[in-house]
Amino acid sequence: MTDPVGSLVAARQSVVARIEAACARVERDPSGVQLVAISKTISLELLRHAPSAGLHALGENRVQEAADKVPALPDVEWHLVGRLQGNKAAKALELFSVIESVDSVDLAARLSRLAVEHGRERVPVYLQVNVDADPAKAGFQASGLDAALEAVLALPVLEVRGLMTVGVLVDMPEEARATFVRLRGLAETLRGRHPSLGAGLSMGMSDDFEVAVEEGSTLVRVGRAIFGERPLGEWPAA
Ligand SMILES: *Cc1c(COP(=O)(O)O)cnc(C)c1O
């Protein structure tokens, strides 16, 4: 029998060491980068060991899958990183601590309304931005974000921690850099006009998190580099 905790500890330590090395290259403090382990498709049996392996924030891309896992690990900080349908917004609010994939003003308004109804004090969210204007991807278009922010930041209870993006699938990590530079630049411009926009930048996945950290990521969403390869077809949701 292999040792699941030992393997997770080693995988986490290796990712943390790579984050620290990326921070050192650009003189950043590593405490400014949160590691969220993306656990989609990973069995609950393995995930039960995540907290003891030092993984206290986990992310899922489907509400239904999360519904089976979250109640078993209530002390984990659960992040939703996949597309959220309006009809699952209430369930998502119940399950997740942070919703990273808010991709429309309508969805933000619905989350805010439901959160008020449920007496929530604050709901941390990120706005997903389709920085590369990839027709296959969800997210706000960069050009529409200024107007959208005006509306979203006025909504009660939602706390907009920052912007999130899913980079293009790349062969070489370096190819993702332009996407990350664009997201950071966009965030800086927007914060000049909307000071209450949080400074968070959720960017970087297994293949490119070091480049993302070099470009200012404050939250990396790492799946395969911690849990190993997923079954084919289970790539980051569009
Ligand atoms: C699956 C997923 C990740 C993690 O991808 P890896 O390549 O396994 O690190 C990150 N973000 C989102 C939105 C995802 O769907």
Side-chain angles (χ1 to χ4, degrees):
M1 214 21 224
T2 54
D3 165 20
V5 185
S7 311
L8 282 183
V9 168
R12 176 187 166 276
Q13 273 172 357
S14 150
V15 168
V16 167
R18 288 165 64 189
I19 291 171
E20 286 171 354
C23 283
R25 288 196 286 280
V26 294
E27 298 180 3
R28 286 188 64 190
D29 178 352
S31 69
V33 183
Q34 185 184 12
L35 171 61
V36 177
I38 305 299
S39 53
K40 61 188 181 204
T41 79
I42 306 304
S43 73
L44 190 49
E45 193 188 347
L46 180 61
L47 287 185
R48 285 185 200 279
H49 303 291
S52 44
L55 298 167
H56 301 291
L58 298 177
E60 287 285 331
N61 68 337
R62 293 196 180 93
V63 174
Q64 190 49 55
E65 187 174 339
D68 299 331
K69 295 175 175 173
V70 172
L73 289 162
D75 296 333
V76 159
E77 179 181 295
W78 287 96
H79 289 229
L80 176 64
V81 301
R83 193 166 226 169
L84 178 57
Q85 309 285 340
N87 61 2
K88 295 196 174 140
K91 191 73 191 165
L93 276 176
E94 212 177 280
L95 295 171
F96 293 99
S97 309
V98 182
I99 298 180
E100 294 200 24
S101 43
V102 173
D103 61 1
S104 72
V105 175
D106 279 355
L107 177 60
R110 184 184 287 252
L111 288 168
S112 168
R113 180 171 52 74
L114 289 165
V116 169
E117 280 172 21
H118 297 180
R120 292 280 291 270
E121 277 172 22
R122 55 183 197 97
V123 173
V125 301
Y126 289 77
L127 303 184
Q128 183 174 350
V129 188
N130 187 354
V131 247
D132 300 313
D134 178 346
K137 278 216 202 88
F140 289 95
Q141 297 304 313
S143 57
L145 210 50
D146 189 29
L149 264 180
E150 193 79 44
V152 173
L153 291 171
L155 292 167
V157 185
L158 288 199
E159 173 190 297
V160 185
R161 287 219 178 143
L163 305 183
M164 177 272 217
T165 199
V166 179
V168 280
L169 260 185
V170 293
D171 293 324
M172 300 285 293
E174 210 40 58
E175 294 170 47
R177 191 179 296 275
T179 302
F180 303 145
V181 169
R182 249 177 263 145
L183 189 71
R184 187 190 58 202
L186 182 66
E188 280 166 4
T189 305
L190 289 169
R191 246 194 333 279
R193 298 169 47 84
H194 307 274
S196 59
L197 169 64
L201 286 177
S202 171
M203 57 189 198
M205 311 192 293
S206 290
D207 290 330
D208 53 25
F209 68 88
E210 290 149 299
V211 174
V213 167
E214 286 173 10
E215 297 302 341
S217 173
T218 64
L219 187 164
V220 292
R221 308 179 310 266
V222 179
R224 288 167 300 129
I226 290 174
F227 297 113
E229 293 298 320
R230 289 182 295 272
L232 277 179
E234 292 290 348
W235 288 95

